[in-house]
Amino acid sequence: MPKKGGKQVEMGKEMQTPCKRAKVEAACSPSVMSFESPDSLFGSLISPIKQEVFFREYWEQKPLLIQRNDNLMAAYYQSLFQFSNLKELCGQGLYYGRDINICRCVNGKKKVLNKEGKVNYMQLKKDFDQKKATIQFHQPQRFKEELWKIQEKLECYFGSLVGSNVYITPQGSQGLPPHYDDVEVFILQLEGEKHWRLYKPTVHLAREYNVESEDRIGNPTHEFILKPGDLLYFPRGTIHQADTPLGISYSTHVTISTYQNNSWGDFLLDAIPGLVFDTAKEDVALRTSIPRQLLMQVDIADSTKKLSSLLRQLADRLENTRELRSSDMKKDFIMNRLPPYLGCDADPLMPGGFRSGKLPKIDSKIRLQFRDHAIITVEPDQENSDEIHREMVYVYHSLKNRRETHMMGTEDDTASEEGTTQTHGLRFPLSYLDALKQIWSSSTVCVKELNLVSDEEKENLALSLWTECLLEVI
């Protein structure tokens, strides 16, 4: 995730809602954003557009501009992050490159103005005022609870990592040249105003970030001003640039992004190796040797016919068995996503609930909790050192993930040393798979009804999940 049809202005006017008069302190009213479920949160984020309309007409297809003219929403957006927050945050030990970049677009190119080491707020403010530099603050959800709350719900909604960056740009300045990204983008205007220009993609649904020159992108397809409370969505590959107009002291917006490397192509790269391995155990055609000296040849085009035939056999098997395993993408998502937001006043997470709960027994009725934060995979035994290939069931979860390192990648050496990329979860024999599916698919289930042979196995499974805070006893 980066830390790195007509004019949309008319659409924005059509979608305006009557201006509501509201006090700033009402910004956290439940009527602004609904956190009851991931579905309700996303619905309130793109309101008044309905979700089915959004995915049918806009998602991965074209930009959507929502100009609200809503004082209550504007006040809520402003509470997410403000320029004034930076002074306090710099005192917590922010570093150039890792946490903050300062840059400016000069003659169509990005000029990075970072200093070395720790960020000094007075120097940062000086560069902002005198050099007209844009401040890019990486992953503010690490520090701002309301963004953690929003992004955690969005990760549940999309089933994909959700990152964010804050951009603060002084008047008459532009931070980045025209470019496109490899992520789906939701932009929330927090403070001031920003002048946006969007252009037709040169690469639809791009897989990488790229800067485009002005003479290649043509005229904008959309041009508009974002004001506090407004929201903009555009698909990956959409070329865009934005500047703060003269007369506006500065602009602050947060870019919430998702679906990086989350395409069908990525899924196939993850799932096909397992499919080939499983099929080869049953189909001798996949176990026969490749021709002599094939690997020594410059051109292996003669083998394409054979490979095409084998791929068709794989497709037939997949269609008939409907068995497809994705492990690496699932694990990458679960180990790098945000932990559940429990609230600043919540008690520490304990087995069985927020406080210590009853131990599950054979006669207990149990219920899965944090369903959106746990996955089941079938993989080769990671602890098996001999040559015998044995498969095990793994249950991974994100309950112990650290919000402080979310989306910071390998650049955070301290995080790597502390083992924050470690997966958290449990390992079971393959015979436990049906019982686990039973728990995952039921609202409640009795331990004695679990699909396992002995009562001891049933109790052990329930106790193991309970110990990881994934089960509660009802």
Side-chain angles (χ1 to χ4, degrees), residues 61 80 101 106 123 135 172 287 289 296 306 318 331 361 364 379 381 392 409 418 438 446:
Q61 297 171 64
L80 297 178
N101 279 334
V106 179
Q123 180 64 55
I135 299 170
R287 301 200 301 272
S289 302
M296 299 163 61
K306 178 64 175 178
L318 181 60
K331 282 194 291 185
K361 302 291 185 181
S364 299
E379 306 171 43
D381 187 359
M392 302 289 286
E418 294 175 3
Q438 206 177 342
C446 291

Side-chain angles (χ1 to χ4, degrees), residues 54-55 57-62 184 204-205 233-236 259 262-263:
F54 174 78
F55 285 103
E57 298 182 12
Y58 297 98
W59 177 254
E60 294 190 328
Q61 297 171 64
K62 62 183 180 181
E184 301 295 305
H204 287 275
L205 302 181
Y233 158 80
F234 52 80
R236 54 196 187 276
Y259 262 70
N262 218 40
S263 66

